[in-house]
Amino acid sequence: MQSMLRWINRIGDKAGSLGALVSAMGCAMCFPAIASLGAALGLGFLGQWEELFIGTLLPASAVLLLVVHALGWFAHRQWQRSLLGMLGPVLLLLALYLWFDAKLIYVSLALMVAVSLWDLFSPASRRCDDRCTLPAKEIGS
């Protein structure tokens, strides 16, 4: 079960961050800096689906990341890492629904990508709490 949670966490983290970044690249009017990067990468055609990206894909990616990092806590028991991973999506959802602030959206997207890269290059390892027990071989020794 732990390996399944760890696998979901690693794959879901990358998918959510990539989805949020690509959806921001598709909105040239909202995010000109990221959209120009997307156009330079050949993603200028995404502009025709701007409403779908901003209204559906960006919030869905943020919710996916929230769920993945919440499940990640069960996989590796590092609350600091999970909290930092959930901070970016929460900021993104606040910026989208409470007040539209492009700078806050840029910061939240950068934080989500940074946490995703951190997980890629330094994967979390499980930390035991008080309920962890030693394997049966070590108890008998």
Side-chain angles (χ1 to χ4, degrees):
M1 184 67 177
Q2 292 299 325
S3 64
M4 182 65 137
L5 281 176
R6 190 168 294 140
W7 183 81
I8 289 171
N9 187 19
R10 291 193 55 130
I11 299 297
D13 181 38
K14 296 347 167 248
S17 294
L18 185 64
L21 193 60
V22 167
S23 64
M25 285 181 182
C27 183
M29 186 174 73
C30 303
F31 314 110
I34 295 178
S36 64
L37 176 66
L41 293 173
L43 299 176
F45 69 94
L46 295 177
Q48 59 188 341
W49 296 299
E50 182 176 329
E51 184 178 330
L52 173 74
F53 285 151
I54 298 302
T56 306
L57 185 61
L58 194 58
S61 297
V63 170
L64 172 69
L65 281 169
L66 276 173
V67 170
V68 162
H69 284 291
L71 289 174
W73 183 82
F74 292 109
H76 54 70
R77 303 277 187 210
Q78 296 178 15
W79 67 269
Q80 298 94 342
R81 191 175 187 125
S82 294
L83 185 66
L84 187 62
M86 288 190 278
L87 182 62
V90 166
L91 287 176
L92 180 67
L93 291 172
L94 287 175
L96 284 175
Y97 292 116
L98 289 182
W99 62 91
F100 187 80
D101 184 15
K103 291 179 185 176
L104 185 59
I105 291 175
Y106 282 129
V107 168
S108 63
L109 287 171
L111 184 61
M112 289 190 296
V113 170
V115 169
S116 181
L117 289 174
W118 179 28
D119 187 48
L120 181 67
F121 293 116
S122 177
S125 59
R126 182 171 172 79
R127 291 190 183 161
C128 291
D129 57 1
D130 294 337
R131 292 175 284 158
C132 286
T133 59
L134 294 173
K137 290 182 196 176
E138 293 180 17
I139 293 174
S141 313

